Amino acid sequence: MQEPKTLYWEGGTLYILDQRLLPHREKYLRCTSYRQVARAIKDMAVRGAPAIGVAAAYGLVLAARGGAKPDKTLEKVRKAAEALRSTRPTAVNLFWAIDRMVSVADWAVSKGLDLYQALLQEANRLMEQDVETNKRIGEYGARLIPDGATVMTYCNAGALATAGYGTAIGVIRAAVEGGKKLSVLVPETRPRLQGARLTAFELSRLGIPYRIITDNMAAMLMSRGQVSCIVVGADRVLARTGHVINKIGTLSLAISARYFNVPLYVAAPLSSIDFESTPEMVKIEERGEEEVLRVAGKLIAPKGSRAVNLAFDITPPELVTSIITEWGVYEPSGLASLRRYSTT
Ligand code: MRU
C-alpha cells in the first residue's frame, strides 16, 4: 500500500495530512493562509521536526500570495514568519526553514523578482531536499544495523515526521530495502502516542514487522538482551556540546541503553543541528496538562488532577553512540566540523 504524503502543494493551496486522526482516518487540512498553517503546527496536525519546517516554509508562500507591492508583501512575510516561529519552540528545523525563506524573500525583493514565485520555488526545494537527505541518512545508517536485528525506535521519526522517507525509520527501511531482516520495537510514546499511532501505521504500510510496547517496558527488554540497537530522531542536536534534544522519554531510553550496553543511534539531518546553542539556551516545549490527563479525549485521572507535560528531553553526549547525518556518521563530540556543509 502507498504511504500518504505528509503534506503537498497544489493549486496555490497547502494540504496537510491531519496526523491527529491517524491511523484510522486519512484526511487533509486545506490551508490557504499562513494562520491556518501556524494553527496546524501548534495543534500538531503536522509534527516532527523536518515536517514542521517544510510546512512553515509553505506558510510563508501563502503569506506572499496576491501581494502587489513588494515592500508591503515583504512586511507581511516577516509578520507571518514571526507567527510561525512562535508555534513550537524546540525543533530547530522550524527556525532554520523560516530563516532560509526570509533570506530568499529579502534577496528576491532586492533583485526585483516575483516574491511569491521565489518563495514557492524555495519551499519546493526544501521539500525535495528533505526527502533526498533522508535517503542519504538511511544509506549511512543501514550499515550500522546488523541483519536479524531487533531495532527499537521512539516517537515517530518516519515519513510522517518529514517530507518523506523519514530519518530513524529511514534507517530501518533502508536496511530492509538492502535485504536485511529486521523487526522493530515501537514504544507507544505517551502522551500523544506517536509510536503506537504513527510509527506503527508507517511500519504496517511498509510491511516491516513490529510490536508495540508501553514506554515503561523498554528497560526490561534491554535487560533481557532483546534489543539489538535503538535508532531515534532528533528535534535539535547541539554541535557545541553534542547534546541531543528529542521526544520526552529519549533520555530514559538512553540511560537504560548505556546500562545494558545497547547502542543508541540518533538520525538527524543538518537542518536539525544547532551550531550556536548550549543546553541552557534551548526552550523545552511544555504542552497542555490535558494531553497527560486524557487518553483519546477521555479523562483518566481524578477530576481536578494537575499534570506536568514536558514534550522533549535532553540526552547528554556520553549516552549517544553516534549521530547519523546525510554527510556520514559522527561522534556527538565531532559535529562542529559539519558547519562547512551548512547553508545558513
Ligand atoms: O512532538 P513531535 O511529535 O513533533 O516530536 C517529534 C519527535 O520527537 C521526533 O523524534 C523528531 O522530531 C524527529 S522527526 C524526524
Side-chain angles (χ1 to χ4, degrees), residues 17 63 67 95 117 129 156 167 194-195 210 274 289 313 316-317:
L17 180 62
F95 307 101
Q117 284 305 332
Q129 276 178 2
N156 171 265
T167 57
Q194 290 95 328
Y210 68 91
D274 175 346
E289 296 180 34
D313 57 26

Side-chain angles (χ1 to χ4, degrees), residues 322-338:
S322 25
I323 316 267
I324 309 162
T325 76
E326 68 270 39
W327 298 103
V329 178
Y330 288 78
E331 298 215 339
S333 59
L335 294 169
S337 63
L338 277 170

Side-chain angles (χ1 to χ4, degrees), residues 20 39 73 88 165 254 330:
R20 296 167 299 184
R39 172 60 51 206
T73 314
R88 295 193 75 187
Y165 202 75
Y330 288 78

Side-chain angles (χ1 to χ4, degrees), residues 44 47-50 52 88 91 154-158 161-162 166-168 194 232-235 246-247 267 285 311-312:
M44 293 176 68
R47 33 65 52 199
I52 62 176
R88 295 193 75 187
Y154 193 58
C155 188
N156 171 265
T162 63
T167 57
Q194 290 95 328
V232 298
D235 284 78
N246 192 45
K247 181 52 56 193
E285 181 178 11
F312 299 98

Side-chain angles (χ1 to χ4, degrees), residues 132-213:
E132 284 164 26
T133 295
N134 296 339
K135 290 191 172 160
R136 282 169 62 177
I137 290 175
E139 259 177 55
Y140 282 115
R143 300 177 197 161
L144 302 170
I145 314 288
D147 192 15
T150 301
V151 183
M152 185 180 286
T153 185
Y154 193 58
C155 188
N156 171 265
L160 291 167
T162 63
Y165 202 75
T167 57
I169 295 187
V171 169
I172 292 168
R173 64 198 279 187
V176 171
E177 284 160 16
K180 290 179 184 166
K181 291 223 174 330
L182 304 183
S183 74
V184 184
L185 288 167
V186 181
E188 54 185 356
T189 318
R190 278 277 288 151
R192 304 233 6 162
L193 302 172
Q194 290 95 328
R197 296 187 305 107
L198 309 176
T199 296
F201 172 79
E202 286 192 31
L203 293 172
S204 72
R205 286 282 166 101
L206 292 168
I208 299 174
Y210 68 91
R211 282 167 300 161
I212 296 170
I213 60 169

